[in-house]
Amino acid sequence: MMRLAILAIGALLTADKPTAAELLALRESAVRAAVARAASATVRIEAAGSAESLGRRAISTAPTTGVLLTGDGWIAASAYQLAANPAGVVVTLADGRRFAARVAGTDRVRKIVLLKIEAVGLTPIAVAENPQVGQTA
């Protein structure tokens, strides 16, 4: 009788548990939804300028990405790919429009750069009101 009760409880506990495949599918769905929401706020950044590389001067043209923070053209990006004093920065929006950008500020400790383009009516990134560490999408 005890064994039957344990088997019955075990069956109840496992009946509603999702499988690993179901959990993976749920996670993939959440990530796809987040990417779809962020796509219109993601921008391509191309910069040209001089950079020091092992004592040699070089032209830095490696593209990077950033996100629109506001509808009037404020953009946050990683400063890793941008030269310290870029000669020119061009931002390409998800819809293909291109804008000259200016570097408005740089935090070299956190490796973040703030750019500004002259545009209005842009779609900024949606930010969670109360994000949690480890939260997916």
Side-chain angles (χ1 to χ4, degrees):
M1 185 67 139
M2 179 66 122
R3 180 170 159 71
L4 185 57
I6 291 172
L7 289 174
I9 290 171
L12 287 175
L13 291 176
T14 59
D16 293 328
K17 270 177 104 171
T19 66
E22 290 170 329
L23 289 173
L24 181 59
L26 287 171
R27 184 176 188 284
E28 286 177 358
S29 176
V31 170
R32 282 191 183 116
V35 168
R37 287 191 307 271
S40 62
T42 303
V43 300
R44 177 183 171 96
I45 301 165
E46 298 169 86
S50 54
E52 289 291 328
S53 175
L54 301 174
R56 297 176 303 204
R57 306 245 340 132
I59 298 297
S60 172
T61 57
T64 188
T65 58
V67 292
L68 286 163
L69 299 175
T70 65
D72 61 349
W74 288 99
I75 299 166
S78 168
Y80 282 106
Q81 293 297 97
L82 294 176
N85 295 306
V89 179
V90 176
V91 170
T92 305
L93 303 181
D95 64 10
R97 290 183 290 161
R98 294 170 57 90
F99 295 89
R102 68 177 171 84
V103 176
T106 304
D107 183 334
R108 290 285 169 202
V109 173
R110 291 174 186 84
K111 304 293 186 203
I112 296 173
V113 64
L114 186 63
L115 302 173
K116 177 68 169 97
I117 62 174
E118 296 305 319
V120 295
L122 305 174
T123 304
I125 189 81
V127 180
E129 290 184 28
N130 188 17
Q132 303 295 313
V133 174
Q135 179 178 350
T136 301

